[in-house]
Amino acid sequence: MWKHDVDINQVVELRLKPNVYFGFGAINKIEDIAKDMKSKGIDKILVVSGKNAYKSSGAWDVIEKALKNNDIKYTNYAEVTPNPTVDAVDKAVEQGKNFGVKAVMGIGGGSPIDAAKAAAILLANNGKTARELMEFKFTPDKALPIVAVNLTHGTGTETNRFSVVTIPETQYKPAIAYDCIYPSYSIDDPALMMNLSPEQTIYVSVDAVNHSIEAATSKAASPYSISTAKECIELVAKYLPVINKNPKDKEARYFLLYASILGGVSFDNGLLHFTHALEHPLSGVKPKLSHGLGLAMILPAVIKYIYPQKAQTLSSLLHSIIPDLKGTPDEAEYAAKKVEEWLYSVGVTKKLSDEGFSEADVDKLVKLTFETPSLAGLISIAPIEGTKEVVGAIFKESLFPYNK
């Protein structure tokens, strides 16, 4: 039982912050949100999005109508790409500043919402740049109000205080976490996610699983982060195969989105460690690499290395995927292979070598892991000592499949 791994003398913080509207039709709550914003004097907002999804999902038709109904003017920065950059954030901020905005709305998956969070900080801290923010050259304690309209079921960013933005010239992909960027309002409507591509569906769901595994096994883990993590993984294990067979299955979309919410809450409380710390250099070097795919390729090796320290927790977390785990340290390699086998079964059949990485890249990836602002902090709360040798071994063992 995972409960045996909990230190009952450790005082932990249970974070239960954003108000999330969840369920089919939740997008219609934007009318109430717009009214509330207007009542607080917010009459101009910056909308941050990608180029297409905010419209093709159907979200924008409802949002634009609500803004007009409540006489809230908007300017839309619609240029956010996967793995958004500090340059994109600075452009969004300049656009919002020129328009005189008083709040920021992010519409999309993790990238637009993370960019919106960073922009909200900079719009409330005049004269600061996105590079300064992501290089930790100042510590913000204020941001403009944030509205998050989520369009994927994986990142959990609509539920928490995290934002990730890439600094392209250094290939750094830092993560920031500040209380001032908890969204004031969030919308999680599975109807907006019915047209996610099969690949996106798999990768974002795997992202939620990684959030859960890391948050339940970090040094900051609590019974709350572990129990939410366990439920998240059980839901993904049950419903991802369903959605792979029938992308229009409404119940499966609903519960995959609920799983994502649980994963986001879990890592807001238990934080993250190896898998995210090692994935960020991968997509920092190759910005077109899907974050969820990067995590999936590393996960089995991370399981192998942390399992002996967190055997009971992991055997409980992974029960819906590997029901015969006993929770003993000697199962580490078996657990790693079975997790990889599960990933292949749901459609993730690539390893780092398939994405162009080789053993010659490992030293650079290790260097980026320890040099990128914030990532050493994640490594420090891993359940085992995160030496350069351990990090290098995880990268090397993720080049090719265990199950050959």
Side-chain angles (χ1 to χ4, degrees):
M1 291 289 291
W2 62 263
K3 298 175 183 67
H4 296 304
D5 282 342
V6 174
D7 179 0
I8 62 173
N9 295 308
Q10 180 185 3
V11 177
V12 298
E13 181 179 7
L14 303 183
R15 288 182 169 265
L16 305 149
K17 293 280 185 176
N19 183 27
V20 179
Y21 294 109
F22 167 61
F24 279 93
I27 187 61
N28 296 308
K29 282 290 184 178
I30 200 71
E31 181 71 34
D32 295 338
I33 292 169
K35 285 179 182 176
D36 189 42
M37 287 195 295
K38 191 60 185 287
S39 73
K40 294 174 179 176
I42 297 171
D43 57 359
K44 290 183 178 181
I45 68 167
L46 169 66
V47 176
V48 179
S49 69
K51 292 182 179 180
N52 300 309
Y54 76 110
K55 287 186 176 179
S56 63
S57 64
W60 184 243
D61 288 341
V62 182
I63 293 167
E64 186 177 38
K65 181 181 177 183
L67 295 177
K68 288 180 177 178
N69 286 347
N70 291 278
D71 197 25
I72 297 175
K73 296 178 173 58
Y74 64 87
T75 181
N76 183 11
Y77 181 81
E79 302 295 327
V80 178
T81 60
N83 298 308
T85 67
V86 288
D87 299 303
V89 171
D90 282 338
K91 288 176 183 176
V93 169
E94 188 65 22
Q95 186 171 320
K97 194 181 297 182
N98 291 339
F99 197 69
V101 302
K102 298 177 183 177
V104 181
M105 179 184 293
I107 310 174
S111 295
I113 297 175
D114 281 7
K117 288 178 173 181
I121 289 175
L122 297 173
L123 285 162
N125 292 269
N126 195 36
K128 301 297 185 182
T129 68
R131 277 177 179 77
E132 290 174 318
L133 175 62
M134 302 313 295
E135 290 173 350
F136 294 85
K137 291 185 176 176
F138 74 102
T139 302
D141 59 6
K142 60 183 179 179
L144 294 190
I146 299 162
V147 180
V149 180
N150 182 30
L151 301 183
T152 68
H153 44 73
T155 72
T157 189
E158 78 282 6
T159 71
N160 60 47
R161 63 202 149 112
F162 288 84
S163 172
V164 177
V165 179
T166 297
I167 306 171
E169 68 271 17
T170 56
Q171 298 181 321
Y172 290 168
K173 188 180 172 183
I176 58 171
Y178 298 112
D179 282 8
C180 62
I181 52 173
Y182 277 111
S184 301
Y185 324 84
S186 291
I187 289 177
D188 268 321
D189 188 337
L192 305 177
M193 304 169 197
M194 296 298 288
N195 293 321
L196 282 178
S197 72
E199 192 175 70
Q200 272 186 303
T201 294
I202 294 165
Y203 293 161
V204 296
S205 299
V206 168
D207 191 5
V209 168
N210 276 274
H211 290 154
S212 299
I213 289 172
E214 292 169 83
T217 56
S218 78
K219 290 177 182 176
S222 68
Y224 184 49
S225 72
I226 296 170
S227 57
T228 49
K230 181 174 170 59
E231 178 73 3
C232 170
I233 295 169
E234 287 176 355
L235 289 170
V236 173
K238 179 176 181 178
Y239 286 104
L240 185 53
V242 174
I243 212 75
N244 281 344
K245 289 180 180 177
N246 179 13
K248 299 298 184 182
D249 190 299
K250 293 179 70 175
E251 180 178 279
R253 286 285 177 202
Y254 178 93
F255 281 109
L256 286 173
L257 179 52
Y258 183 56
S260 172
I261 293 170
L262 292 175
V265 170
S266 186
F267 93 77
D268 197 36
N269 282 268
L271 305 179
L272 303 172
H273 54 80
F274 279 131
T275 321
H276 274 74
L278 274 65
E279 190 287 324
H280 284 201
L282 296 177
S283 49
V285 170
K286 294 182 182 289
K288 293 184 179 180
L289 176 68
S290 166
H291 175 59
L293 173 58
L295 294 169
M297 294 188 293
I298 297 169
L299 180 60
V302 171
I303 294 290
K304 175 183 170 180
Y305 278 85
I306 68 172
Y307 196 93
Q309 185 65 29
K310 290 290 182 180
Q312 294 201 28
T313 298
L314 284 167
S315 67
S316 180
L317 287 179
L318 299 172
H319 179 76
S320 53
I321 295 171
I322 319 169
D324 59 341
L325 288 175
K326 298 179 179 63
T328 56
D330 61 309
E331 297 175 312
E333 189 168 338
Y334 175 74
K337 288 182 176 180
K338 296 300 283 186
V339 166
E340 184 178 87
E341 186 178 297
W342 175 75
L343 287 167
Y344 272 59
S345 76
V346 296
V348 186
T349 59
K350 292 182 178 180
K351 300 298 287 185
L352 293 183
S353 59
D354 298 309
E355 289 297 309
F357 291 99
S358 70
E359 193 163 339
D361 297 310
V362 169
D363 286 346
K364 178 181 180 178
L365 293 171
V366 172
K367 188 170 183 286
L368 282 171
T369 302
F370 286 92
E371 285 186 354
T372 299
S374 79
L375 298 190
L378 299 185
I379 294 290
S380 72
I381 60 169
I384 62 170
E385 186 180 359
T387 64
K388 290 183 178 180
E389 289 73 25
V390 167
V391 170
I394 292 171
F395 277 127
K396 286 179 183 176
E397 293 186 30
S398 301
L399 287 167
F400 301 98
Y402 284 134
N403 296 294
K404 296 177 182 178

